[in-house]
Amino acid sequence: MEVELKEMQDDLESLKQSLTDASLRGSVDKLQLHLERLTNLSKSGPVRRSKVKDMSAEVVDSNPYSRLMALQRMGIVENYERIREFSVAIVGIGGVGSVAAEMLTRCGIGRLLLYDYDKVELANMNRLFFRPEQVGMTKTDAAVQTLVDINPDVVLESYTLNITTVQGFETFMSSLRNKSFSPAKAGSGVDLVLSCVDNYEARMAVNQACNELNQIWMESGVSEDAVSGHIQLLIPGEIACFACAPPLVVASGIDERTLKREGVCAASLPTTMGVVAGLLVQNTLKFLLKFGHVSPYLGYNSLKDYFPTMEMRPNPQCSNVACLERQKEYIIAKPARDAAAKAKMEAEALTVEEIPLHADNEWNISVVDDVEIEIVGATSSDTLPEGLVRELPNADEQHPPPTESTAPFLDDLEDLKRQLEALNS
């Protein structure tokens, strides 16, 4: 584009030099001015950054990972660069899923799999991520269009399908099994599945797939009134699956699709969805990079700023056959797993050496016990210079109580007695 504009500029300049009529030269000047504006507009367009081969902790403005790698320098994460080895699947690219996808992309995740069947609408503009010019595009295509500009290092795979259909579920399962990104990885081809769907039927489809594949996943949701939400971790066999404790409406046998009324839609706040997406991705990073505590369940009530937590064990009478199989496997493997965890803790306890806190800090600050401080020849800060005395006693000094003689007191008493007798006579 820039080359073509430059050629047009040169042609106009040549034409201007060949003209003898001043009025025609004025017209050429106007054309050159318009062409110059177009050239400036083309230069001010979006600039895509090149791919970065290796993450670097170098603190320079041109390094997109410097602030992320700082977590490693500060001791929060042992090796942040490992994030490039992980694959995360996000089901549902709506108010929560789209923001979660953007956050993970900015964090430098290795591979993202995106699933949705819907299209971008103007009604979605109250949420984050999507833009008006993307209306009519599928949500997966619009997401890829935005995310590839943010971070070209991330491998993006989009699937425009409905996972609740037979064909869609089969495609969903096969894509999770695909290990082309990490051939040596055990289990499925992804490290974590994030469910960001808005209906129970889709959640049950994700639940079924993850139970069959023994795949760890996280579920998220926002309430219909848009003022509360939650996230939860689901480990097949260890933590209750979505079928272990179904919602009351589903347990009562009511079809949730009959609850939706024509012309009535759920409320939607970008603030609540942004908070839930942030909590979801924060726990995703903690789970993948092994730092901090990953909550089994974390709720959010924006009206009271309340964050409840709880943990649910699997139901031995769960209706999901795959869940029951995972429970049996977990019970059988539990003794060996507990023994290995105990041995690891004991080994770590033996190798722990006491070292001074911040031994190599640049401010030369050291931490010592007060009882170990013994400075020979030092004088107290309360000691006065030579020639000065205190007007009042020192409160820290111990003074023995005065021992006064009782003889003068008895003499005064006898004298007072004689005076009283003289007055009475």
Side-chain angles (χ1 to χ4, degrees), residues 93-110:
I93 314 300
V96 175
S98 61
V99 179
E102 180 177 348
M103 289 180 176
L104 286 172
T105 300
R106 293 184 183 277
C107 288
I109 194 73

Side-chain angles (χ1 to χ4, degrees), residues 246-267:
L248 179 60
V249 173
V250 178
S252 302
I254 301 174
D255 188 350
E256 66 169 335
R257 288 172 292 186
T258 63
L259 300 176
K260 296 182 178 180
R261 292 169 291 173
E262 189 68 27
V264 179
C265 66

Side-chain angles (χ1 to χ4, degrees), residues 125-189:
M125 293 304 112
N126 70 306
R127 302 173 181 177
L128 304 173
F129 189 72
F130 292 117
R131 303 188 304 272
E133 63 268 22
Q134 294 176 327
V135 170
M137 296 177 63
T138 62
K139 288 184 176 180
T140 51
D141 289 344
V144 170
Q145 182 189 67
T146 301
L147 298 177
V148 73
D149 287 338
I150 294 174
N151 190 347
D153 301 329
V154 179
V155 177
L156 299 170
E157 297 180 14
S158 64
Y159 298 88
T160 305
L161 52 83
N162 184 351
I163 64 170
T164 62
T165 64
V166 175
Q167 184 177 357
F169 183 78
E170 291 177 354
T171 304
F172 178 54
M173 289 283 288
S174 63
S175 63
L176 293 180
R177 292 193 185 100
N178 184 9
K179 296 185 180 182
S180 59
F181 183 76
S182 302
K185 183 184 178 301
S188 69

Side-chain angles (χ1 to χ4, degrees), residues 43 48 124:
K43 291 180 180 180
R48 288 188 178 181
N124 303 136

Side-chain angles (χ1 to χ4, degrees), residues 244-317:
C244 285
L248 179 60
V249 173
V250 178
S252 302
I254 301 174
D255 188 350
E256 66 169 335
R257 288 172 292 186
T258 63
L259 300 176
K260 296 182 178 180
R261 292 169 291 173
E262 189 68 27
V264 179
C265 66
S268 175
L269 275 175
T271 49
T272 307
M273 293 184 174
V275 170
V276 173
L279 295 173
L280 180 65
V281 175
Q282 189 80 299
N283 275 268
T284 298
L285 295 176
K286 290 190 292 183
F287 175 80
L288 295 175
L289 297 175
K290 309 298 181 187
F291 70 97
H293 171 70
V294 181
S295 300
Y297 176 94
L298 179 62
Y300 169 58
N301 186 324
S302 66
L303 299 182
K304 298 181 179 179
D305 289 339
Y306 178 53
F307 293 84
T309 59
M310 65 177 182
E311 185 173 353
M312 293 176 60
R313 293 301 177 187
N315 181 3
Q317 299 178 343

Side-chain angles (χ1 to χ4, degrees), residues 15-85:
L15 178 61
K16 180 180 177 181
Q17 296 298 331
S18 63
L19 294 174
T20 55
D21 192 340
S23 61
L24 293 177
R25 284 190 174 186
S27 299
V28 174
D29 289 337
K30 290 181 180 180
L31 289 174
Q32 286 180 321
L33 183 60
H34 286 305
L35 189 59
E36 184 178 352
R37 290 174 180 172
L38 289 174
T39 304
N40 293 332
L41 286 174
S42 66
K43 291 180 180 180
S44 63
V47 179
R48 288 188 178 181
R49 73 166 177 86
S50 57
K51 291 186 177 183
V52 178
K53 183 179 180 181
D54 299 312
M55 283 189 174
S56 169
E58 184 182 6
V59 183
V60 291
D61 294 341
S62 59
N63 182 8
Y65 298 114
S66 59
R67 287 167 173 79
L68 295 169
M69 294 294 286
L71 293 170
Q72 184 173 314
R73 187 180 70 252
M74 295 178 180
I76 303 297
V77 179
E78 184 177 351
N79 183 9
Y80 188 86
E81 196 170 0
R82 284 193 62 228
I83 197 170
R84 285 189 160 187
E85 302 172 4

